[in-house]
Amino acid sequence: MSVNVEKRTDPPGESDYATAAWELKEQIRSAEGVLRQRRGFFVDAYRRSTAHLLVENDRLVAFASVRRDGYILFLAVHPDHRGRGHAERLVADIAEDHRSVTCHARTTNRQALGFYEHLGFEVIRRIDDYYEDGGDAYYLKLGGESLRERLSGFVGR
């Protein structure tokens, strides 16, 4: 089995990997109860964003969709591919292109919050009833002056 992971991009207006991204997101939602969105919302947001994709043997293993302002809409890594630095690589790619990187995370999603804290994200504020299902969120921002250097260290650049 190849461990060669290729980076690809779906720029705004393109959706070559939208179906694969939706299926990966839904697989994670079913197993972990996170990443809950309606399909129409997801596809619309995906098409308006830049999607950073990691593909192994023509199979999507991770993706991050980001708006023009550096806000991460979606970040997902296939469960079988976690622990390999894929999410760090995606966030580092986003940080290279944006002065500021922000996102929301459910207050109950300890795994995501731990990951973001590990990278240097800081909680800016809590937002009650942020999600459609009434779930609360933290608004997070990647902090620090040496953002690119720190993320480069995570992915060995």
Side-chain angles (χ1 to χ4, degrees), residues 129-146:
D129 299 319
Y130 176 77
Y131 293 102
E132 190 174 276
D133 65 3
D136 302 333
Y138 290 121
Y139 178 68
L140 306 165
K141 182 175 183 178
L142 190 56
E145 294 181 25
S146 61

Side-chain angles (χ1 to χ4, degrees), residues 75-139:
L75 176 63
V77 178
H78 190 283
D80 294 343
H81 293 266
R82 292 183 182 163
R84 300 181 189 179
H86 294 333
E88 289 93 341
R89 180 178 177 188
L90 292 168
V91 174
D93 288 344
I94 292 166
E96 282 185 17
D97 295 339
H98 301 280
R99 301 183 101 191
S100 173
V101 179
T102 59
C103 66
H104 284 91
R106 283 185 183 269
T107 58
T108 57
N109 190 342
R110 295 291 161 217
Q111 184 175 357
L113 293 169
F115 166 76
Y116 287 122
E117 181 182 342
H118 166 73
L119 289 184
F121 279 79
E122 300 168 356
V123 173
I124 303 301
R125 67 182 166 274
R126 180 187 173 109
I127 305 168
D128 294 333
D129 299 319
Y130 176 77
Y131 293 102
E132 190 174 276
D133 65 3
D136 302 333
Y138 290 121
Y139 178 68

Side-chain angles (χ1 to χ4, degrees), residues 35-101:
L35 302 178
R36 296 177 218 150
Q37 291 92 22
R38 288 171 293 143
R39 186 178 180 112
F41 171 82
F42 177 87
V43 171
D44 184 52
Y46 183 98
R47 286 184 180 144
R48 288 183 289 126
S49 67
T50 297
H52 297 267
L53 311 153
L54 297 178
V55 178
E56 182 178 281
N57 297 325
D58 289 323
R59 182 173 159 220
L60 183 66
V61 297
F63 76 96
S65 295
V66 62
R67 293 188 320 211
R68 300 187 298 187
D69 62 357
Y71 177 82
I72 299 172
L73 294 161
F74 311 109
L75 176 63
V77 178
H78 190 283
D80 294 343
H81 293 266
R82 292 183 182 163
R84 300 181 189 179
H86 294 333
E88 289 93 341
R89 180 178 177 188
L90 292 168
V91 174
D93 288 344
I94 292 166
E96 282 185 17
D97 295 339
H98 301 280
R99 301 183 101 191
S100 173
V101 179

